[in-house]
């Protein structure tokens, strides 16, 4: 389906590209930017990791899941996996603990390995209840 | 698609086919793997879901952008006229920066889900249609790379971790402009699609299959997917936002900070050891130097400082990394100290730390902040003498300012 272009297309494209170009020029001209190669690694790295690793892995996972898991429990399982993946991603920096400093215990003060278990147990407890319910409810 | 035996390009051209036709045929032969029709069977790769997630992401990104700009300008030199940070309301900076980090965190599942939904479009056929389509598709590179960069580096930075060798503040700022620019291009290109997908007629024309569970290859319904993504954003928010919303602190299981944990029950960003000020801050030779506009100087020992009129203020320390904690501070008003070296009403004050070097070893107070009753050179926190990590012997505390500008271990105030 070929989308029609809105009248705002070219004005917004030009304005947006101008802002992006200003950002790029600013970045390259910034005296305090530090290592630009490191910036490029993170900038391009996220895109490549997503498109070449994450997306194919999720596709493969979905392919297997659809064939292995019965249809009635599939939705809850998928939902729980979405929440689990998010929690693990968001918790990765605190679990890694790279920010810890011996002279400042107020940074990352909690026991995150224990806490991630608590959060995931709670998520899967809810999912478990929903799965049992989905399995018990008679088919319409 | 029926595949016919493929003839050589030259042969087809000799048989009188036009170059355009042959090119189209060749392109069709290249259509394999994810480029094929039906390569992505899930009904969740829909314009409607992409549009709903897109609008939610747009709101999150613009929230992050606006609150990020507030922080950026709060940390600029103060002579910006009407753009200078006001001293009231005191909670404004804490609120905007808590929101900045919370919106960025919640955007993580939204972005991942959105990229999943539109992933088949990466293999759209034909790859490009016209110039507008080329521009639109190319702008997705800075959009996706920038979005992932902003959310990833922002998240990692909240944990005080810097696995990179670029300057976070500079890179996070400039890359936000690159990303928001690409977002504006994207919105301009997708407006008609979004409008179509979110209209009532669209919902009526593409109803959800009545019994999704029975269709082959199906799993989550459209509503189910959106609920799951919302739940993911909700869990991520609930387990972290307690670092700034105190009533939710016991739920903040995954937050990099706890608002009650630190010396004297308040978190610290830079310790005295980290700033190499232990010896100078504890030295009996400590003096506070006041410098007037005319160059006159006055030095005060800690005892003399303690003997000056004492005031109290309840103010938050609010960090751009998304945590904040309130305390009752006791100390001397900065405007009283400025007046001791002849600083009239309306002056600005440069505050210098014992810390040597580093971009946060000094900060500038604008006129509104100097004038404010609650702007103190604090000597006490919650009734106790300041812990050295909170800036003993004296630190600045002032309403509606970034935590990094609440200069610690203050040794010099210059009226300017």
């Amino acid at each position: 389906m070929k989308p029609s272009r809105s009248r705002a297309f070219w004005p917004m494209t030009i304005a947006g590209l101008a802002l992006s170009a200003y950002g790029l020029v600013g970045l390259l001209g910034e005296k305090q930017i530090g290592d630009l190669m490191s910036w490029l690694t993170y900038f391009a790295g996220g895109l490549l990791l997503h498109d070449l690793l994450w997306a194919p892995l999720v596709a493969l996972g979905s392919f297997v899941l659809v064939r292995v898991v019965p249809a009635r429990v599939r939705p809850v399982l998928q939902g729980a996996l979405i929440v689990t993946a998010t929690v693990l991603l968001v918790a990765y920096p605190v679990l890694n603990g790279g920010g810890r400093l011996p002279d400042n215990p107020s940074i990352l003060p909690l026991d995150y390995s224990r806490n991630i278990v608590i959060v995931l147990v709670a998520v899967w407890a809810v999912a478990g209840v929903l799965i049992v319910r989905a399995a018990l409810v008679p088919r319409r | 698609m029926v595949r016919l035996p493929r003839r050589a390009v030259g042969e087809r051209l000799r048989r009188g086919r036009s170059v355009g036709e042959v090119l189209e045929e060749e392109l069709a032969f290249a259509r394999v793997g994810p480029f094929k029709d039906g390569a992505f069977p899930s009904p969740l790769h829909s314009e409607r879901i992409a549009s709903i997630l897109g609008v939610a992401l747009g709101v999150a990104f613009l929230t992050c952008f606006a609150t990020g700009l507030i922080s950026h300008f709060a940390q600029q030199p103060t002579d910006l006229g009407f753009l200078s940070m006001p001293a009231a309301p005191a909670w404004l900076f804490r609120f905007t920066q808590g929101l900045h980090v919370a919106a960025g965190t919640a955007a993580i599942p939204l972005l991942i889900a959105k990229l999943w939904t539109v992933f088949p479009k990466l293999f759209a056929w034909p790859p490009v249609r016209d110039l507008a389509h080329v521009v639109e598709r190319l702008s997705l590179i800075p959009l996706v790379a920038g979005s992932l960069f902003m959310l990833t580096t922002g998240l990692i930075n909240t944990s005080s971790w810097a696995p990179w060798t670029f300057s976070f503040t500079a890179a996070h700022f400039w890359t936000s402009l690159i990303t928001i620019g690409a977002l504006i291009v994207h919105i301009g290109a997708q407006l008609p699609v979004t409008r179509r997908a979110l209209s009532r007629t669209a919902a009526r024309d593409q109803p959800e299959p009545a019994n999704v569970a029975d269709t082959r290859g199906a799993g989550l319904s459209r509503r189910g997917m959106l609920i799951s993504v919302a739940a993911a954003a909700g869990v991520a928010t609930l387990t972290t936002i307690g670092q700034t919303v105190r009533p939710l602190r016991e739920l903040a299981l995954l937050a990099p900070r706890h608002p009650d944990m630190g010396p004297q029950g308040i978190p610290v960003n830079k310790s005295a050891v980290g700033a190499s000020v232990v010896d100078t801050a504890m030295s009996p030779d400590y003096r506070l130097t006041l410098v007037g506009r005319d160059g006159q100087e006055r030095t005060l020992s800690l005892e003399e400082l303690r003997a000056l009129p004492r005031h109290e203020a309840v103010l938050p320390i609010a960090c751009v990394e998304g945590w904040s904690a309130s305390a009752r501070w006791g100390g001397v008003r900065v405007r009283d100290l400025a007046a001791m070296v002849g600083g009239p009403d309306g002056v600005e004050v440069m505050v210098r730390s014992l810390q040597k070097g580093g971009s946060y070893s000094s900060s500038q107070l604008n006129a509104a902040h100097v004038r404010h009753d609650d702007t103190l050179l604090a000597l006490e926190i919650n009734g106790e003498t300041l812990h050295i990590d909170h800036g003993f012997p004296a630190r600045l505390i002032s309403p509606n300012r970034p935590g990094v500008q609440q200069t610690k271990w203050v040794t010099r105030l210059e009226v300017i």
Side-chain angles (χ1 to χ4, degrees), chain A residues 40-129:
Chain A
L40 188 63
T41 309
Y42 276 80
F43 189 75
L47 179 69
L48 295 176
L49 267 182
H50 176 272
D51 282 9
L52 300 180
L53 191 69
W54 171 264
L57 279 180
V58 171
L60 186 69
S62 314
F63 182 83
V64 173
L65 190 125
V66 164
R67 274 150 193 82
V68 172
V69 179
R72 4 175 66 195
V73 300
R74 215 179 284 150
V76 179
L77 197 68
Q78 283 171 309
L81 286 172
I82 289 173
V83 178
T84 303
T86 300
V87 168
L88 287 175
L89 274 176
V90 168
Y92 175 69
V94 295
L95 284 172
N96 175 287
R100 280 217 164 79
L101 279 177
D103 58 80
N104 188 353
S106 78
I107 296 176
L108 308 183
L110 308 174
D111 181 353
Y112 297 101
S113 334
R114 185 201 65 162
N115 289 358
I116 190 82
V117 173
I118 295 174
V119 174
L120 290 181
V121 164
V123 168
W124 284 92
V126 174
V129 171

Side-chain angles (χ1 to χ4, degrees), chain A residues 20 30 33 35 74 78 103 112, chain B residues 165 167 174 178 218 220 255 271:
Chain A
S20 289
E30 168 76 54
I33 191 66
D35 183 359
R74 215 179 284 150
Q78 283 171 309
D103 58 80
Y112 297 101
Chain B
T165 48
S167 152
W174 289 114
I178 297 175
L220 274 177
S271 74

Side-chain angles (χ1 to χ4, degrees), chain B residues 27-28 101 134 145 163 169 179 208 233 261 263 295 357 368 377 389:
Chain B
L27 268 173
V101 170
V134 173
T169 45
T179 311
E208 198 146 352
M261 288 188 178
L377 190 67
D389 285 346

Side-chain angles (χ1 to χ4, degrees), chain B residues 11-322:
Chain B
E11 194 184 333
R12 275 178 283 158
L13 284 175
R14 279 195 299 278
R15 280 163 179 246
R17 313 292 294 272
S18 76
V19 176
E21 279 176 318
V22 172
L23 209 62
E24 256 173 36
E25 285 168 15
E26 283 301 300
L27 268 173
F29 276 111
R31 196 170 186 188
V32 294
F35 293 96
K36 273 195 268 189
D37 275 333
F40 297 91
S42 169
L44 299 178
H45 295 294
S46 81
E47 279 184 354
R48 197 170 165 81
I49 291 188
S51 298
I52 292 170
L53 290 172
V55 169
L57 261 181
V59 171
F61 273 33
L62 292 179
T63 303
C64 284
F65 189 53
T67 50
L69 286 180
I70 288 177
S71 169
H72 182 77
F73 287 112
Q75 303 195 40
Q76 296 302 302
T78 49
D79 50 353
L80 284 171
F82 72 98
L83 276 177
S84 295
M85 272 301 261
W91 48 264
L92 185 65
F93 193 78
R94 153 191 243 180
F95 172 75
T96 58
Q97 299 318 296
L99 185 63
H100 181 81
V101 170
T105 306
I108 291 172
L110 294 176
L111 179 65
I112 306 262
K114 169 86 158 101
L115 289 176
W116 180 87
T117 306
V118 298
F119 195 62
K121 299 236 175 210
L122 189 58
F123 309 102
W125 207 265
V128 292
R129 289 189 304 263
D130 49 29
L131 176 65
H133 196 216
V134 173
V135 175
E136 178 195 331
R137 292 204 76 186
L138 282 180
S139 74
L140 292 175
I141 296 173
L143 179 60
V144 178
S147 302
L148 289 166
F149 179 92
M150 294 305 291
L151 297 187
T152 311
T153 57
L155 176 76
I156 292 175
N157 186 63
T158 63
S159 78
S160 311
W161 184 24
W164 44 70
T165 48
F166 52 80
S167 152
F168 171 77
T169 45
H172 203 66
F173 170 68
W174 289 114
T175 311
S176 79
L177 300 185
I178 297 175
T179 311
I180 296 296
L183 179 59
I184 292 171
V185 177
H186 186 63
I187 293 173
Q190 299 300 331
L191 262 178
V193 181
T194 309
R195 211 175 280 148
R196 182 176 67 211
L198 295 183
S199 68
R200 278 156 193 249
T201 27
R204 210 167 48 227
D205 290 349
Q206 316 163 345
E208 198 146 352
N211 196 344
V212 178
D214 285 348
T215 49
R216 198 192 153 277
L220 274 177
S221 60
R222 281 209 298 250
R223 176 168 299 172
M225 172 166 173
L226 292 173
I227 290 173
S228 303
V229 174
V235 172
T237 305
L238 270 183
T239 52
T240 51
I241 196 146
Q243 63 180 331
T244 187
V245 181
R246 204 159 173 281
L248 294 176
R249 67 191 183 283
E250 297 313 324
L251 284 176
L253 292 170
L254 304 175
R257 298 302 192 121
H258 189 289
D260 291 346
M261 288 188 178
Q264 297 169 318
I266 299 287
V268 162
N269 243 21
K270 188 87 172 172
S271 74
V273 170
S276 315
V277 294
V278 178
D279 292 342
T280 44
M282 301 300 281
S283 162
D285 298 334
Y286 168 82
R287 295 289 181 275
L288 174 71
T289 305
L290 309 174
V291 185
R293 266 184 179 163
D294 51 4
Q296 66 161 304
E297 286 196 10
R298 175 129 185 225
T299 53
L300 296 169
S301 71
L302 188 51
E303 291 313 310
E304 290 168 314
L305 204 50
R306 281 178 179 145
L308 293 173
R310 183 181 169 281
H311 295 274
E312 280 197 352
V314 175
L315 287 177
I317 286 278
C319 186
V320 290
E321 274 116 56

